[in-house]
Amino acid sequence: MDFISILSVFVMACFVGYYVVWSVTPALHTPLMAVTNAISSVIVVGALVAGAAEGSVISKWLGLLAVVLASVNIFGGFAVTERMLAMYKKKEKK
Amino acid sequence: MILSLLAAAAPAAAPANAFPYPTAENSPIVPLLYLVAGVLFIMALRGLSSPATSRAGNRYGMIGMTIAMVTTLLTHGLASLPEIAGAIAIGGGLGFVTARRIKMTDMPQLVAAFHSLVGFAAVLVGLAAYLNPIAFGIAGLDGIIEPQSRIEMGLGIAIGAITFSGSVIAFLKLNGNMSGAPIMLPGRHAINLGTLVAILGLVGYFTQDQAPWVIAVITALSFIIGFLLIIPIGGADMPVVVSMLNSYSGWAAAAMGFTLHNTAMIITGALVGSSGAILSYIMCKAMNRSFISVIAGGFGAAPEAAAGGGAKVQRPWKRGSAEDAAFLMKEAENVIIIPGYGMAVAQAQHVLREMGDLLKKEGVNVKYAIHPVAGRMPGHMNVLLAEANVPYDEVFELEDINGEFAQADVAFIIGANDVVNPAAKTDKSSPIYGMPVFDVDKAKTVMFIKRSMGGVGYAGVDNDVFYMDQTMMLLADAKKMVEDINKALAH
């Protein structure tokens, strides 16, 4: 992909993000932060590439360390979001 | 089916490439899968528009992440699978256990800690890409990194490092390991600005010279500036800081996405970046302060702000007991409860819900009113009330409930202060002037739980609500007071 295509994806995604985030109800702003935390750990993709690559031992270990950190975030972020969202209940109809 | 296609595509594509590892461009299905992951992440956030759809959204997020990780592993990682699986197991296990055990009142710290990890991971990925650019497909076999990739890499590392050290400070302040009071260095604006300019200058220079010292200095300076940026910001401005760092962690991921030409990372980075930016904006607006003034820091530290009103006059106020409060609320028709950070500190959310239940049994209409900046992160109070089993349709935002105070018999303030201060509406000299506040002065009776009359809110200003005729001060620890009210109500 050339730079302009990537930039286009980025700019469009910023607009999508703008509208999607404004539609999030304020009551769920804490879960929003937790889940954005989890998904921003998609940086693990880069960590996996580095961790798997031959050619530089240091690079490989840096990558593996980054995989550990990002995994804390991915598993922790999704799990804590799930835990919070499970607590939001409607009034019981009696 | 897709996975088998993928597995078939990846090795076949590899020999055709000049680089020893296949890049994302090798098979059309690979970028497509990253795109799918990106779309699933968008749907994850979309789900949060209502509590009813939110859990499905979270699942979409998990599926998206699984797709992104499996795709990467199949195209790049099969050779080192044991090490990688070990790394995922260690990190994942740690994260999962933490997420299960963490107390809901500690959520702001947890989020800050998670941000720091994203930031640090971004730095590590950036450094790894610098050390082994061929594996990332951003350099020819001679190891010369493309200039454009150098800018992306430099910025990614810088933003990641700022996110890391900034989040560490935010974590320490939120967790109480470090005083929440602003730490003001002399000439800090000049130092910060100079450091930022130096970082940008070095990123520019990096395109000319890919020497290790350049990237090392960029990394070091960025760690320092992250630290310097957050220490002057006071504890109650943390909602803005946490949101801002959320945003940074997104931009760091996006910068890495540019380096790796990975759409999942770019889409996610843009989403998270916008999310944090919007939350920062909402928080600033709810305090009627500019983003710049929050970032410049020092709010709540200036002693002259508190003394500004001239000599303090002792004004009369009324103290009430738990029994008085219980009696009045029993007789009331409408009670609006306003929780604040003090409720979280006292862990009073569960007893507060019991109080609500007891009142409802008496036929009282109970509602909860939440200010956007209540607590230490956006939505903090909502989570605590949800944890205590308060139905979310009894919880209202500022603009939805503010008109109802005129009909309210009791406004019950627990652990909040500045968000009910009428000076925000009337006193132009007040540091909180212009901040939207609850119109509690319109309620027939105001009950204000507070530890003592001495303390003031974060803004360091006196609150006229204390001295109103209809105000009853309930001076005690919030949890203790509500427990006593519950006892009185149960009789």
Side-chain angles (χ1 to χ4, degrees), chain B residues 104-173:
Chain B
M104 284 298 144
T105 38
D106 294 342
M107 201 50 69
Q109 292 91 301
L110 182 75
V111 167
F114 279 171
H115 285 156
S116 74
L117 296 182
V118 181
F120 202 55
V123 173
L124 292 176
V125 172
L127 292 178
Y130 171 77
L131 291 171
N132 197 359
I134 300 171
F136 283 81
I138 52 173
L141 289 171
D142 51 1
I144 307 279
I145 306 170
E146 290 162 28
Q148 181 198 318
S149 300
R150 293 187 208 178
I151 297 184
E152 294 156 358
M153 187 190 287
L155 286 179
I157 290 177
I159 303 171
I162 294 173
T163 310
F164 171 74
S165 53
S167 299
V168 168
I169 301 299
F171 170 83
L172 293 174
K173 287 196 174 198

Side-chain angles (χ1 to χ4, degrees), chain A residues 48-55 60 64, chain B residues 10-11 20-22 69-86 135:
Chain A
L48 290 171
V49 173
E54 305 296 330
K60 187 184 169 84
L64 286 174
Chain B
Y21 294 91
M69 287 177 79
V70 170
T71 305
T72 315
L73 277 175
L74 289 179
T75 46
H76 292 86
L78 289 175
S80 314
L81 204 55
E83 293 103 304
I84 287 177

